[in-house]
Amino acid sequence: MRLEEAIKQNRQFVNELEKLAINILFTASWIDAGNIQRLKPFGISPQQYNVLRILRGSYPNAMMLGDITCRMIDKNSNATRLVEKLKSKGLVKREVNEMNRRQVDIEITSAGMDLLAVIDKDVDSWLESFSSLTNAEAEMVNIALDKLRK
């Protein structure tokens, strides 16, 4: 569906750059809504999922909160709160570093790894929502988005 139809736009955009900005925001919201629905049965938010994936990427090494924060997709997320919620669910553990008492180490638990393994089994159905694009088109979009952020 064209953007103008999706947002019931009656007037023309000022130019293609304005349309691009609105289209990216609209599409990001659409993707986020789908991601929320995908993760809802697992009892985690997309931001919590992102933290778990970051910790899995560093496993078996623990990470400090600042290192997690700088790798997060949503830079406005409260990483401290996210880690606390994941800790209360038994998906991560947080411990004071024995070598440096001011450092808190955060690592994914086996329950966190197991949850990600279950979610990973569903990744193909999640990616189906992007199947209207060919791999070549997806590569072009990725290149354009990377270029936009330079």
Side-chain angles (χ1 to χ4, degrees):
M1 174 184 296
R2 293 185 61 235
L3 176 64
E4 292 85 352
E5 296 165 11
I7 65 171
K8 299 176 181 20
Q9 175 90 359
N10 292 328
R11 68 168 185 86
Q12 290 217 290
F13 289 100
V14 172
N15 56 39
E16 285 298 313
L17 290 176
E18 179 192 38
K19 181 178 178 178
L20 173 66
I22 302 299
N23 207 343
I24 289 171
L25 291 170
F26 180 79
T27 304
S29 178
W30 174 80
I31 291 169
D32 191 45
N35 202 25
I36 290 168
Q37 287 306 111
R38 170 177 87 109
L39 296 171
K40 195 174 195 174
F42 303 105
I44 62 171
S45 68
Q47 294 81 7
Q48 291 169 347
Y49 176 66
N50 187 212
V51 170
L52 287 174
R53 285 180 44 90
I54 290 166
L55 290 170
R56 177 175 64 181
S58 74
Y59 185 82
N61 299 319
M63 295 184 75
M64 292 184 295
L65 189 64
D67 294 329
I68 294 170
T69 301
C70 75
R71 294 181 185 187
M72 291 181 65
I73 294 170
D74 182 356
K75 302 295 184 192
N76 294 320
S77 292
N78 183 335
T80 302
R81 183 181 57 80
L82 293 170
V83 167
E84 279 306 306
K85 284 197 171 206
L86 291 168
K87 182 178 179 251
S88 71
K89 295 175 183 185
L91 302 173
V92 303
K93 63 182 177 179
R94 198 188 68 199
E95 297 175 343
V96 174
N97 185 298
E98 291 180 16
M99 305 291 265
N100 179 353
R101 307 295 278 152
R102 292 179 288 169
Q103 180 178 320
V104 176
D105 293 331
I106 303 159
E107 62 183 277
I108 192 167
T109 63
S110 59
M113 293 291 265
D114 292 345
L115 178 63
L116 287 179
V118 171
I119 294 171
D120 286 346
K121 290 179 184 174
D122 191 44
V123 76
D124 288 339
S125 68
W126 163 242
L127 293 177
E128 272 182 34
S129 60
F130 302 94
S131 66
S132 61
L133 296 177
T134 65
N135 279 340
E137 289 170 329
E139 183 179 6
M140 287 182 357
V141 171
N142 281 322
I143 290 168
L145 291 173
D146 289 346
K147 185 176 179 180
L148 183 63
R149 288 189 313 276
K150 281 187 180 179

